[in-house]
Amino acid sequence: MLTRIKTMMEWTPQGRALGIVLERHEGKKVWARVPYRADLVGDPETGVIAGGVITTSLDQLCGLATVLAMQTPSTVATIDIRIDYMRGAIPGRDVWAEAECIKIGRTVAFVQAIAYEDDASDPIARATATFMVNAQSKRRIGSNLKPPRT
């Protein structure tokens, strides 16, 4: 399964652009790291990583946690994500994140995530997200495009 979610991360342009490194997974939970890079900094005077980097990495990780929770992995899409920023990331430090799918239904999954440097009890940001789960993955492509009955 780690290979599958690593492939998913490498397949998405955002994951590749941020250089997100998948560290491990366990059940419906996944951990990753965004290595600090100068081009990810939002404010050159402080060296703090841009908030968009935190948002994107949490969104990516939430999607992976959703896939881990599925019995048959399929595509997912973000319906809604709320990010609560609690402080700026420490300049020069990698940002760690972990996400867990807390409930998955037939069409919607609910996920929580947190970003931090060393300790999840001192968060940079927390995320709460809902994801659309592709419940029609076994249907033939284009099956919803049949012409209307006459």
Side-chain angles (χ1 to χ4, degrees):
M1 184 58 94
L2 184 60
T3 301
R4 182 182 194 93
I5 60 175
K6 277 185 175 179
T7 301
M8 288 178 60
M9 182 63 73
E10 292 166 0
W11 181 76
T12 60
Q14 298 89 347
R16 285 195 312 267
L18 298 180
I20 299 172
V21 179
L22 239 47
E23 295 291 346
R24 68 183 174 110
H25 71 91
E26 186 178 304
K28 300 177 286 185
K29 196 168 182 178
V30 61
W31 287 261
R33 179 175 51 87
V34 178
Y36 184 86
R37 294 191 333 237
D39 64 326
L40 301 179
V41 168
D43 181 354
E45 289 187 25
T46 63
V48 172
I49 289 180
V53 172
I54 305 297
T55 297
T56 302
S57 62
L58 289 173
D59 187 18
Q60 290 280 304
L61 217 52
C62 286
L64 293 179
T66 301
V67 170
L68 285 172
M70 300 169 81
Q71 289 182 349
T72 304
S74 182
T75 56
V76 299
T78 309
I79 296 173
D80 182 55
I81 187 165
R82 174 193 164 100
I83 308 286
D84 292 320
Y85 286 95
M86 299 176 187
R87 63 177 176 83
I90 298 172
R93 303 287 308 276
D94 292 355
V95 173
W96 284 79
E98 57 188 70
E100 181 175 20
C101 182
I102 56 174
K103 181 173 177 63
I104 187 164
R106 194 172 61 82
T107 58
V108 178
F110 303 89
V111 189
Q112 294 179 339
I114 189 166
Y116 53 92
E117 289 97 357
D118 299 314
D119 186 352
S121 68
D122 184 22
I124 298 166
R126 288 187 175 273
T128 303
T130 53
F131 278 78
M132 180 185 75
V133 175
N134 184 1
Q136 300 177 359
S137 64
K138 292 182 180 177
R139 292 179 65 181
R140 191 170 41 94
I141 293 173
S143 62
N144 62 336
L145 302 175
K146 291 180 180 174
R149 295 182 187 172
T150 55

